Amino acid sequence: MGEDYKAGCPPNNAAPAGDGGPEATEAEEDFVDPWTVQTSSAKGVDYDKLIVRFGSSKIDKELINRIERATGQRPHRFLRRGIFFSHRDMNQVLDAYENKKPFYLYTGRGPSSEAMHVGHLIPFIFTKWLQDVFNVPLVIQMTDDEKYLWKDLTLDQAHGYAVENAKDIIACGFDINKTFIFSDLDYMGMSPGFYRNVVKIQKHVTFNQVKGIFGFTDSDCIGKISFPAIQAAPSFSNSFPQIFGDKTDVQCLIPCAIDQDPYFRMTRDVAPRIGYPKPALLHSTFFPALQGAQTKMSASDPNSSIFLTDTAKQIKTKVNKHAFSGGRDTIEEHRQFGGNCDVDVSFMYLTFFLEDDDKLEQIRKDYTSGAMLTGELKKELVEVLQPLIAEHQARRKEVTEEIVKEFMTPRKLSYDFQ
């Protein structure tokens, strides 16, 4: 799976589907695909191994410095801290940008429930920053069709979740003049350009390939088997004629969690064969569940994460009661031996949400040395999360049905490049 996918050559490490899909190698290996992320380590997934396995490139200091030079802005904390840690062809995007060549952003969300949690915001917080510093248009795909095919939902429920989730996404502060949010169920039926690209992609990917990439089996419905082409299509600019006209050569940059990479390995393989540029990618790490990095966050388990609907009191209770701790069993031991930031979920969450690098480093030192106790660390996190969530809720309240409609209406976007 390490290379871009080649037609007609199945990946040499593809396990039979019965072994838990193509990405599982041996028992202790992390397992990552677009639907499941499993690790046995309390530290979470080994991302260096994942880069090697997926064949992407590490975002190194040099690339971060280059982004800073190109934008004239301090790199986002997600870049500074290795939360966005891997890329494909980001240097190419920067080459284009420095030569005043256009590019656009594409990200998305699978709306499987009405409630989103803080982990769901990670790609959107970063994408908003990219939109601001590069001043480029953005398309956001709501894959309500995917959720209908994979989950036990009606079409109306899936579409309803897409609209509700769009409100949370809009509340991240995206520029309405540069952002188009679309539901697949709506847009596919009204955009010939989009559907034409879906069909082109479908023609160039075999059933064998999607079995190899996604682990589909003969008993999966045919909707699942053809879905990857729908997630691939927004990578090509002429899927959005109202934004780009008939331009086929506008480069696309996709910020997403690395579990979505299989879709875009497939897309990057198909692109040159249908005459389009390959999309570039920026990959983020996974957001750990409250109970520890090796447990799964689930919308059906309210204690597995901090939801965007939680009250200040709920946030405090959840963090104090459920956040997995890297502290010692007794205060005496903790003072003597110190805590373990590598497995402590409260510290992990602070790396995502505390802006101040110096303060974060001080907390890391104090906790590791035992000067700071787990209760104090959790208090720091609660003080960061409470205002963050409260401000998000206030912004979401201001998102009216009219605003959602405007974001979701296919239209020309305003941007600078010719």
Side-chain angles (χ1 to χ4, degrees):
M1 303 299 286
E3 300 306 312
D4 278 346
Y5 212 84
K6 299 286 185 297
C9 357
N12 51 13
N13 67 342
D19 293 356
E23 303 290 5
T25 43
E26 55 249 43
E28 69 278 6
E29 282 283 291
D30 299 329
F31 176 78
V32 175
D33 78 3
W35 304 279
T36 315
V37 176
Q38 282 170 339
T39 176
S40 50
S41 161
K43 292 181 179 180
V45 171
D46 183 330
Y47 291 105
D48 288 331
K49 274 190 187 164
L50 207 53
I51 285 178
V52 174
R53 201 158 87 215
F54 280 10
S56 58
S57 310
K58 199 176 174 68
I59 294 179
D60 53 16
K61 193 79 192 89
E62 202 179 319
L63 182 61
I64 295 173
N65 292 342
R66 189 172 174 202
I67 292 170
E68 182 167 17
R69 285 197 304 275
T71 60
Q73 301 286 329
R74 181 177 192 217
H76 193 276
R77 63 179 183 273
F78 290 173
L79 284 172
R80 304 197 301 266
R81 296 177 192 163
I83 287 165
F84 272 80
F85 70 101
S86 151
H87 75 100
R88 294 183 188 277
D89 290 347
M90 183 61 189
N91 281 306
Q92 234 169 278
V93 172
L94 293 169
D95 290 343
Y97 182 74
E98 286 162 2
N99 291 315
K100 301 281 181 281
K101 278 243 198 67
F103 76 92
Y104 71 102
L105 294 162
Y106 157 40
T107 191
R109 156 103 185 114
S112 52
S113 69
E114 203 165 314
M116 284 170 64
H117 55 64
V118 279
H120 292 138
L121 288 184
I122 302 306
F124 296 109
I125 291 170
F126 188 60
T127 302
K128 175 185 167 9
W129 180 80
L130 290 170
Q131 182 182 52
D132 290 347
V133 299
F134 285 107
N135 187 26
V136 287
L138 158 69
V139 296
I140 299 175
Q141 179 182 47
M142 307 300 279
T143 56
D144 42 10
D145 52 346
E146 174 205 13
K147 291 306 170 191
Y148 170 72
L149 293 167
W150 261 267
K151 305 256 178 198
D152 186 19
L153 296 173
T154 66
L155 275 173
D156 286 342
Q157 277 174 317
H159 186 263
Y161 290 157
V163 174
E164 283 308 305
N165 287 183
K167 293 177 185 170
D168 280 304
I169 291 167
I170 292 165
C172 293
F174 291 106
D175 183 339
I176 198 162
N177 298 311
K178 296 197 192 88
T179 308
F180 172 47
I181 303 175
F182 62 99
S183 133
D184 283 343
L185 291 174
D186 289 337
Y187 187 60
M188 185 104 143
M190 62 168 85
S191 173
F194 188 86
Y195 186 58
R196 282 172 177 229
N197 277 341
V198 169
V199 173
K200 278 186 187 174
I201 298 157
Q202 285 173 340
K203 183 169 181 172
H204 288 82
V205 181
T206 66
F207 180 40
N208 238 354
Q209 280 177 293
V210 290
K211 278 201 289 195
I213 301 170
F214 300 101
F216 294 144
T217 66
D218 293 349
S219 54
D220 278 312
C221 72
I222 59 173
K224 288 184 180 183
I225 292 153
S226 60
F227 173 74
I230 297 172
Q231 187 159 324
S235 312
F236 306 131
S237 53
N238 61 345
S239 292
F240 306 98
Q242 69 284 2
I243 303 172
F244 301 106
D246 54 8
K247 280 197 176 76
T248 58
D249 59 347
V250 187
Q251 168 100 47
C252 174
L253 173 63
I254 306 170
C256 62
I258 194 158
D259 60 330
Q260 297 299 304
D261 187 68
Y263 283 110
F264 301 113
R265 288 206 287 279
M266 181 197 84
T267 309
R268 286 167 55 84
D269 171 56
V270 170
R273 291 190 284 138
I274 56 179
Y276 297 147
K278 293 181 177 187
L281 286 106
L282 292 169
H283 298 126
S284 75
T285 59
F286 303 115
F287 192 75
L290 263 184
Q291 289 104 328
Q294 73 270 66
T295 63
K296 188 151 172 31
M297 271 191 292
S298 154
S300 51
D301 175 6
N303 295 322
S304 66
S305 192
I306 305 289
F307 284 82
L308 300 179
T309 47
D310 286 350
T311 63
K313 189 176 174 203
Q314 282 172 313
I315 293 169
K316 187 175 177 178
T317 307
K318 277 188 188 181
V319 171
N320 286 334
K321 209 168 163 184
H322 299 288
F324 185 79
S325 161
R328 304 286 170 172
D329 293 343
T330 65
I331 290 182
E332 291 71 33
E333 273 184 37
H334 188 87
R335 292 281 188 221
Q336 190 181 349
F337 302 113
N340 181 355
C341 286
D342 288 340
V343 302
D344 192 285
V345 170
S346 301
F347 184 78
M348 290 180 195
Y349 278 26
L350 282 171
T351 63
F352 281 88
F353 295 117
L354 178 62
E355 178 59 46
D356 186 332
D357 289 349
D358 297 335
K359 187 171 180 187
L360 186 70
E361 180 54 22
Q362 193 56 52
I363 291 172
R364 194 187 64 75
K365 280 186 181 148
D366 289 349
Y367 193 62
T368 307
S369 71
M372 178 183 267
L373 297 172
T374 298
E376 296 165 326
L377 175 63
K378 288 186 170 188
K379 185 167 178 284
E380 291 281 356
L381 176 63
V382 169
E383 284 170 6
V384 168
L385 285 179
Q386 283 176 333
L388 181 99
I389 303 288
E391 285 160 25
H392 179 87
Q393 289 167 353
R395 287 194 303 269
R396 191 187 193 280
K397 264 205 187 81
E398 289 169 12
V399 178
T400 61
E401 298 299 329
E402 284 68 47
I403 291 174
V404 175
K405 205 170 168 186
E406 192 175 339
F407 267 99
M408 296 186 83
T409 299
R411 64 205 185 283
K412 189 154 176 45
L413 299 180
S414 66
Y415 51 89
D416 286 346
F417 43 70
Q418 265 58 63

